[in-house]
Amino acid sequence: MNAVTKRFGAATVLDKVDLTIAAGSFTVIRGANGSGKSTLLRIAATLTSPTEGQISINGVDALRHSADARREIGAVMHSPMLYSDLTIRENLALFATLCQLENPHDRVEAAASRLRLEARMDERVRGLSHGYRKRVAIARSIIHTPNLLLLDEPETGLDESSLEVMLQIVEEWRSSGRSVLMATHGSDFAKSAPDVAYTMTAGRLESFESS
Amino acid sequence: MIASLSIIWALTLKELRIESRNRDVAVAIVMFASLVIAIFAIAIEPNARTALETGPGVLWAAITFAGVVGMTRATSHELENDAVGALMLAPVSRDLVFIGKSLGSFVFLTIATLIVFVVFTFMFNLQIFHAEILVVALLSVIGFASVGTLFSSLTFRVRAREVLLPMLFLPSIAPLLFAAIRVTSVSVAGEPWSASLPWIQLAVVYDVVFVTASALLFGYVLDD
């Protein structure tokens, strides 16, 4: 990200943010509610356009070629982004089809198995708890093995065992040369040895720590 | 090409699957349109002459307002859990998302329109299953579905979307509505195909222009 600014009316939510995520790194952005973390991740996920600035993901200009850039991204945002009247299987299969994956059925089963969703695959999302919905969202985010995993406060609503799985996925992504960018307001999960940690205050990435 | 078709089919199937489990969009359209037609039928007490004069307007006003109600319902599925975000995260062109969603709306609207036609025929005692009326109905549903998909997406994040959607949608489909009413009027009056042709041509031109424009604009309106 290069000099990314986002304004909503008169309010500047992100102010000339520069951010580079190295391949195989786990980057954490900590910050209070309203500091701009979620907006930053939404922009990185191409869900929101920046007012100014450039974004490149694995060499792809995310503003000009957003569909190609999205192939490189998996995202777990605040809301689960699932269709309530579709089953877990149908939600995952829809995304796998949209990603034009080979053997989508196998990819759905593999992602579901990873998040221990097998037993409830044919249940509609409407009947699932918040934590379960989050697990489905995480399964969807890894189904196409993206190079960049964006996690916006992924720990919210997850139980201990799901958090454990989430940490394993982060570790796996890091060790396989892919990257993870996580926003959090400072939970234990964020202390799980990130390679780089930033603090965001009022739309600016202020401090920087590298392990 | 095959990949694009499979994406469009997956999106259309998603719309149909959700609707088949709720039936709230089709039921909302059919019930609302039937009520409007019934109210007018009671108020006008149509005879052979008044049915010809007022019937076409009542029919298309009912379908149009019911379509707005149906589209508002359809939008709610996308807003729950911010589900539309899943489509926005997918590595596909927004054009394909637009086509898939429009096709889903097209299917509901077509089914609902045919049911409303039957209700209207019964209430107004007018035979409207004429080829030219079916052609203009098809063209109208194509236009309604595509323009409706665009405007319902535009109003996704607007608090007063139930008000804003009809305010944007109704003026935009006025030419199509006018063509549909005129074709229905001349056809039930027993006039030949040639009398309907200019209005059918207007509907074709409308669809070409507005479907293309809606597809081009959809990507922009879907972004925040």
Side-chain angles (χ1 to χ4, degrees):
Chain A
M1 283 190 181
N2 184 18
V4 167
T5 297
K6 181 68 180 177
R7 293 188 199 95
F8 292 107
T12 302
V13 179
L14 293 179
D15 190 9
K16 294 185 179 136
V17 171
D18 294 313
L19 178 64
T20 302
I21 312 283
S25 69
F26 174 30
T27 304
V28 166
I29 300 176
R30 299 192 187 100
N33 292 335
S35 59
K37 307 182 301 292
S38 295
T39 304
L40 184 73
L41 261 71
R42 285 186 69 85
I43 288 174
T46 76
L47 293 172
T48 301
S49 303
T51 310
E52 291 164 21
Q54 286 100 41
I55 305 152
S56 170
I57 299 169
N58 222 8
V60 179
D61 185 331
L63 301 179
R64 284 171 178 266
H65 307 287
S66 62
D68 293 333
R70 284 193 291 276
R71 207 169 289 286
E72 307 286 334
I73 301 165
V76 180
M77 311 309 279
H78 265 296
S79 53
M81 298 178 170
L82 300 167
Y83 287 97
S84 298
D85 291 306
L86 297 183
T87 64
I88 295 176
R89 190 188 306 283
E90 287 163 350
N91 269 288
L92 295 179
L94 172 66
F95 197 75
T97 307
L98 296 181
C99 291
Q100 299 162 65
L101 301 176
E102 285 184 20
N103 304 318
H105 177 76
D106 295 346
R107 301 289 281 268
V108 167
E109 295 302 325
S113 159
R114 196 71 208 277
L115 273 296
R116 300 172 194 152
L117 296 166
E118 306 99 314
R120 303 183 71 177
M121 286 294 275
D122 294 314
E123 285 184 33
R124 289 189 203 175
V125 167
R126 186 176 298 286
L128 302 178
S129 66
H130 177 70
Y132 239 96
R133 290 179 190 195
K134 196 89 176 198
R135 282 160 68 174
V136 181
I138 295 167
R140 186 193 53 216
S141 73
I142 61 169
I143 208 165
H144 56 307
T145 52
N147 282 316
L148 174 62
L149 198 52
L150 302 169
L151 307 172
D152 191 2
E153 300 181 10
E155 70 275 26
T156 312
L158 286 184
D159 57 20
E160 284 294 319
S161 67
S162 303
L163 270 176
E164 191 61 37
V165 173
M166 190 71 244
L167 278 170
Q168 285 170 12
I169 291 169
V170 168
E171 242 349 281
E172 182 188 317
W173 243 248
R174 179 154 60 171
S175 61
S176 62
R178 301 187 206 105
S179 313
V180 180
L181 172 61
M182 185 174 87
T184 180
H185 48 73
S187 68
D188 290 343
F189 190 52
K191 293 168 188 156
S192 54
D195 298 305
V196 186
Y198 293 91
T199 301
M200 181 160 249
T201 310
R204 285 178 167 270
L205 282 179
E206 287 204 324
S207 59
F208 168 82
E209 314 149 26
S210 183
S211 63
Chain B
M1 181 65 183
I2 290 169
S4 297
L5 288 176
S6 75
I7 288 168
I8 291 168
W9 172 239
L11 291 165
T12 307
L13 193 63
K14 181 265 292 179
E15 301 280 334
L16 299 178
R17 206 168 251 159
I18 291 172
E19 178 55 18
S20 72
R21 286 173 190 170
N22 288 296
R23 297 194 182 89
D24 50 356
V25 177
V27 168
I29 294 171
V30 171
M31 290 303 293
F32 191 90
S34 301
L35 276 172
V36 170
I37 292 169
I39 289 165
F40 274 100
I42 292 164
I44 296 167
E45 292 182 22
N47 54 36
R49 188 178 61 81
T50 54
L52 281 176
E53 286 171 358
T54 59
V58 170
L59 171 68
W60 286 102
I63 291 172
T64 305
F65 284 113
V68 173
V69 172
M71 274 162 203
T72 307
R73 286 297 308 140
T75 306
S76 67
H77 301 311
E78 298 290 355
L79 294 174
E80 196 176 349
N81 294 325
D82 196 16
V84 69
L87 304 184
M88 293 170 69
L89 282 173
V92 295
S93 137
R94 308 285 200 228
D95 304 351
L96 297 181
V97 175
F98 170 79
I99 296 170
K101 286 187 65 59
S102 298
L103 270 177
S105 300
F106 171 78
V107 173
F108 312 143
L109 283 169
T110 303
I111 295 168
T113 301
L114 288 174
I115 296 171
V116 172
F117 269 33
V118 173
V119 173
F120 177 83
T121 303
F122 174 71
M123 296 265 188
F124 275 74
N125 196 25
L126 263 185
Q127 175 51 260
I128 53 167
F129 285 92
H130 299 168
E132 56 269 49
I133 296 177
L134 294 177
V135 168
V136 84
L138 181 71
L139 292 167
S140 300
V141 170
I142 291 170
F144 287 6
S146 55
V147 174
T149 299
L150 175 72
F151 285 134
S152 58
S153 305
L154 185 66
T155 56
F156 269 159
R157 292 176 185 84
V158 179
R159 205 169 15 177
R161 64 177 180 279
E162 289 85 357
V163 178
L164 192 60
L165 179 60
M167 283 173 68
L168 292 170
F169 178 70
L170 295 174
S172 306
I173 54 121
L176 201 52
L177 191 57
F178 195 57
I181 292 169
R182 292 302 301 157
V183 169
T184 309
S185 294
V186 297
S187 178
V188 294
E191 292 185 37
W193 249 93
S194 55
S196 300
L197 204 55
W199 302 109
I200 289 175
Q201 287 169 336
L202 172 66
V204 170
V205 170
Y206 178 95
D207 278 359
V208 169
V209 172
F210 276 76
V211 171
T212 309
S214 300
L216 291 173
L217 291 170
F218 184 74
Y220 293 102
V221 304
L222 206 58
D223 289 333
D224 278 0

